[in-house]
Amino acid sequence: GKRWNLMVTSILRPTVYLPTRDLMTRILGRDVATLTAVMSTFVVSALMHELIFFYLGRLEPTFEVTWFFLLHGVCLCAEIYAKKRVGGGKRRIPRWVSGPATLGFMVVTGFWLFLPPLLRAVMDRRGQQEFEAMGALAKNVTCAVTLIFQWLRSFTNHHLIPLPARWLGLQGFLGP
């Protein structure tokens, strides 16, 4: 859809949704084919996310993430069906009602099914460690660049003053 992860949508739409819808239209008709394609896309997305969580956490799958996506797929299919049946797709729920309802549904199901596997795999701590490592890297790169610029500024009378070995961490290689 056009609501959430647009990168996943741009991958799954041409690889799962459109081929499934085109194939099933010949067999089941356009309306049922659309719902089948939507649900197929959510099944593939669910399995992909479960695999990603497994690789990140290295914990035995509980399939909570899979249920999260399957539940969202079923609810989206119900929404599509209801919109086509109620008012012929012309009547819409006001944005001020549908927006908070969608957000509330995402928050409740996210805390119920999506967040627990992340916390069990200590992804919050791992993420913090990654940010700390990036901060340390940025600090080290900044220090190295500063030292290089100080060395470059130390040209006197067009003579190059050698960069001290201790700045490069080469004390044992280049002598005392």
Side-chain angles (χ1 to χ4, degrees), residues 9-138:
T9 299
S10 70
I11 294 169
L12 293 180
R13 184 172 177 79
T15 59
V16 179
Y17 175 78
L18 293 175
T20 304
R21 188 193 66 193
D22 294 344
L23 175 68
M24 298 312 261
T25 298
R26 294 183 215 134
I27 300 167
L28 303 171
R30 182 69 174 205
D31 288 347
V32 177
T34 298
L35 297 176
T36 304
V38 167
M39 201 60 216
S40 298
T41 304
F42 272 88
V43 167
V44 170
S45 181
L47 295 174
M48 285 173 41
H49 279 85
E50 194 70 49
L51 187 62
I52 290 167
F53 274 54
F54 171 73
Y55 278 122
L56 292 176
R58 298 293 182 183
L59 299 174
E60 186 174 329
T62 60
F63 296 98
E64 290 166 296
V65 176
T66 300
W67 284 112
F68 173 84
F69 285 97
L70 295 179
L71 176 62
H72 282 251
V74 167
C75 290
L76 181 58
C77 287
E79 179 184 342
I80 292 168
Y81 180 81
K83 283 182 178 179
K84 287 186 179 189
R85 297 299 176 250
V86 177
K90 294 179 184 175
R91 293 176 50 182
R92 294 190 171 249
I93 298 173
R95 196 77 148 149
W96 61 271
V97 173
S98 66
T102 301
L103 186 60
F105 180 72
M106 286 294 296
V107 168
V108 169
T109 57
F111 275 94
W112 172 35
L113 295 169
F114 200 82
L115 191 59
L118 286 174
L119 295 177
R120 272 194 301 279
V122 292
M123 295 294 185
D124 53 336
R125 280 191 246 138
R126 289 181 182 182
Q128 182 180 359
Q129 290 170 344
E130 288 291 325
F131 279 115
E132 288 171 0
M134 289 299 295
L137 175 66

Side-chain angles (χ1 to χ4, degrees), residues 149-163:
F149 279 115
Q150 287 175 350
W151 176 71
L152 290 173
R153 270 190 300 177
S154 67
F155 282 103
T156 337
N157 298 332
H158 303 294
H159 290 92
L160 188 65
I161 298 174
L163 190 63

Side-chain angles (χ1 to χ4, degrees), residues 137-155:
L137 175 66
K139 181 179 177 183
N140 291 339
V141 167
T142 303
C143 288
V145 168
T146 301
L147 290 174
I148 290 170
F149 279 115
Q150 287 175 350
W151 176 71
L152 290 173
R153 270 190 300 177
S154 67
F155 282 103

